[in-house]
Amino acid sequence: MALFRTNSAAISGLEALVIDVEVDLYAGVKQEFFTVGVPALAMHEGGKRIKSALISSGYGYPTRSVFIKLVRAGIREEWASFDLPIAIGILIAMGVVRQSQNHLFVGELSRNGELRPIRGALSIVASARSSGIRNLLLPADNATEVSGVEGVDVFGARNLTEAVQIVNAHDGLAPQALTERA
């Protein structure tokens, strides 16, 4: 069983905690979406958003069952913020996105693949920096507000397609500048 990992973060009070997102695709009896560490209702809705966003963005959806595990569970997360890292993890498993442990992803996906703004972006970038994670990819609407934090390169994306392009072409891209507006 090959696990594909991405990083995300969850807000807990005023601070953010880094969360490991593990994705596995496996041959099940039927195509299903399973999660561990997330309330069933939250991920039922999230699974539908993620599947729809992947398909709407032209990436398709795995023909195998998807198993998602959030490693640092038990805190009050905003579950929708895990849409982007889960979608990226699925795309890594499908071979569309290159594996990178030096990125932290956070963002809610709409059904058409657009990224919606999140809460707690400043706490998330501070957590990425203290965890030694060099790159933060989040919704473009949040990127400018956190782009000045030293030690973390911030990348903003408007949708899933842009997020994939940023990850796959990361070495050739400049991080978000303070003066840029999404």
Side-chain angles (χ1 to χ4, degrees):
M1 169 163 90
L3 288 178
F4 300 90
R5 292 183 171 89
T6 61
N7 296 306
S8 190
I11 299 296
S12 180
L14 294 177
E15 69 176 331
L17 303 171
V18 172
I19 306 290
D20 294 328
V21 179
E22 297 178 349
V23 176
D24 182 33
L25 303 182
Y26 65 95
V29 176
K30 61 180 182 173
Q31 187 181 8
E32 297 177 302
F33 189 90
F34 293 104
T35 59
V36 174
V38 183
L41 180 59
M43 270 327 301
H44 176 73
E45 294 169 2
K48 289 180 182 288
R49 275 193 316 271
I50 293 164
K51 181 177 182 178
S52 182
L54 287 167
I55 292 168
S56 294
S57 299
Y59 297 109
Y61 193 75
T63 56
R64 298 184 288 173
S65 292
V66 177
F67 178 81
I68 307 294
K69 180 179 180 185
L70 300 181
V71 175
R72 189 181 226 160
I75 59 174
R76 293 183 182 203
E77 294 96 345
E78 290 204 19
W79 301 108
S81 295
F82 293 120
D83 289 357
L84 179 61
I86 290 171
I88 294 290
I90 291 169
L91 291 171
I92 291 169
M94 292 171 61
V96 173
V97 175
R98 66 183 179 95
Q99 179 77 49
S100 175
Q101 287 300 310
N102 205 18
H103 283 76
L104 189 144
F105 304 96
V106 63
E108 177 182 354
L109 288 168
S110 68
R111 288 184 174 253
N112 69 356
E114 299 296 313
L115 277 167
R116 296 179 176 145
I118 55 146
R119 291 182 355 171
L122 192 55
S123 295
I124 291 169
V125 75
S127 179
R129 182 180 62 197
S130 67
S131 298
I133 298 172
R134 180 90 176 116
N135 303 294
L136 171 63
L137 197 154
L138 70 169
D141 289 345
N142 297 108
T144 302
E145 70 183 275
V146 297
S147 62
V149 176
E150 278 190 44
V152 177
D153 290 337
V154 174
F155 299 90
R158 290 185 297 264
N159 54 53
L160 181 59
T161 301
E162 283 185 11
V164 168
Q165 290 170 348
I166 289 168
V167 176
N168 283 339
H170 171 73
D171 294 335
L173 295 177
Q176 186 86 14
L178 277 172
T179 57
E180 290 182 14
R181 294 288 173 209

